[in-house]
Amino acid sequence: MKKFEGLLFCTDLDGTLYADDKTVSKENLDAIRYFQAEGGLFTFITGRVPVATREICDTIRPNAPFGCINGGGIYDPTKEALIWKRELPEEALELVRCVDAQLPEIGIQCNTEKHIWFNKDNQTMQTFRRITGAPFLTCSYEELPEPLLKVVMGHPEEAQILALKALLDNHPKAGNYDFIRSERELYEILPKGVSKGSVLQKMAELLGIEMRHTIAVGDYNNDIAMLQAAGLSFAVANAVEAAKAAADHVTVSNNEHAIAAIIDGLSRGVFTF
């Protein structure tokens, strides 16, 4: 039996696998290849939609399907298709209309299976496109051509994000959805019960992996459910305090080859389940 056989390792991308310069280090890539060669399944769970993950798939070459849309889907790159997904009901647009009317400076994007639609542009959405390379596709959120999977809203000012959170939390239909702050400038509407933790459990089920043999690493609020669900979890040193509190261990930062450090520790028996 190979050293990592029966293990499922899931990493977050931005701020975790990616260094601050948006690259994946050779040290991390070499460690991933070693983990896979020794029988382990290595993949990632991200807030991104599948169309925004092509470059990272080519780079790390996951040997298992990956979680996407902050837990709203599981994508198999070998089949080039979602093998499991949760959609937002059309009713969710009531919340979008409310935000658009009461907080007009908030940027809005609607994510579908194949596209990221920029419904209302602002500085945060422009930054998002620059970092992710997403094309500037526009349409009204009232006229989406595909089923809605999640809504991403954003603004560079903390006060606007806090006002957005308060507005959504107090909406009469807030209980029908989950909300998550995925980055400092981004706040998302997700189907009820969707999280990186729930999708990790679904991935393990589909792959026949026991939850106690899953490994997760992340850095931000939207990673907390995943860290709590995993059999063994790590927060990178640059993680927010809430993520560190949720993890079993705190490892080195995303700029210090965190994935390599974890896999080295697993190999040497430093970390146990």
Side-chain angles (χ1 to χ4, degrees):
M1 183 175 177
K2 294 184 176 180
K3 183 175 292 187
F4 301 127
E5 194 170 330
L7 299 183
L8 172 63
F9 193 133
C10 295
T11 182
D12 169 57
L13 297 181
D14 298 300
T16 304
L17 175 64
Y18 281 125
D20 288 347
D21 64 2
K22 301 302 177 183
T23 63
V24 181
S25 70
K26 181 179 184 300
E27 288 84 351
N28 279 342
L29 290 174
D30 287 347
I32 292 168
R33 297 286 88 79
Y34 167 63
F35 184 84
Q36 293 171 326
E38 285 293 329
L41 297 177
F42 188 95
T43 188
F44 56 91
I45 299 178
T46 179
R48 303 181 190 189
V49 292
V51 70
T53 60
R54 290 169 183 162
E55 182 179 350
I56 189 61
C57 277
D58 289 343
T59 300
I60 70 170
R61 304 198 302 274
N63 59 345
F66 63 83
C68 53
I69 324 166
N70 266 327
I74 299 173
Y75 188 84
D76 188 336
T78 63
K79 297 179 180 178
E80 297 186 348
L82 283 169
I83 58 175
W84 178 86
K85 67 179 177 180
R86 288 278 308 279
E87 296 177 1
L88 272 172
E90 189 174 337
E91 179 192 72
L93 292 179
E94 292 183 28
L95 280 70
V96 179
R97 295 184 194 106
C98 179
V99 171
D100 198 8
Q102 298 192 41
L103 295 171
E105 300 302 314
I106 296 290
I108 301 170
Q109 63 165 272
C110 287
N111 289 200
T112 61
E113 181 172 344
K114 298 184 182 298
H115 299 95
I116 299 171
W117 299 99
F118 292 91
N119 314 108
K120 192 167 188 178
D121 208 27
N122 69 355
Q123 181 183 329
T124 292
M125 295 300 148
Q126 292 163 16
T127 300
F128 180 95
R129 290 196 297 276
R130 185 176 69 251
I131 291 173
T132 64
F136 189 20
L137 300 177
T138 63
C139 77
S140 167
Y141 52 75
E142 304 284 7
E143 300 174 349
L144 293 171
E146 306 166 88
L148 180 60
L149 299 182
K150 74 170 183 174
V151 180
V152 181
M153 300 181 175
H155 197 278
E157 296 178 10
E158 178 73 6
Q160 286 281 323
I161 294 294
L162 294 178
L164 170 62
K165 180 182 185 303
L167 181 61
L168 290 175
D169 285 347
N170 290 292
H171 191 279
K173 295 186 177 177
N176 296 340
Y177 307 96
D178 280 341
F179 309 119
I180 190 72
R181 190 167 183 175
S182 53
E183 293 186 25
R184 188 186 68 82
E185 297 185 9
L186 299 178
Y187 203 71
E188 305 188 7
I189 304 173
L190 297 166
K192 189 69 177 177
V194 159
S195 70
K196 288 190 176 184
S198 64
V199 86
L200 173 60
Q201 293 175 327
K202 189 65 179 179
M203 291 165 66
E205 176 188 329
L206 292 174
L207 294 166
I209 301 290
E210 296 181 36
M211 279 302 295
R212 63 190 183 93
H213 290 154
T214 60
I215 305 159
V217 55
D219 76 307
Y220 210 69
N221 295 35
N222 61 328
D223 298 317
I224 291 173
M226 174 177 71
L227 299 177
Q228 293 172 333
L232 182 64
S233 61
F234 299 84
V236 286
N238 53 289
V240 298
E241 290 304 315
K244 290 179 180 178
D248 297 318
H249 304 278
V250 177
T251 186
V252 298
S253 79
N254 63 318
N255 293 319
E256 300 171 284
H257 327 299
I259 305 305
I262 294 168
I263 291 173
D264 176 66
L266 290 168
S267 181
R268 293 187 293 109
V270 173
F271 305 122
T272 58
F273 291 86

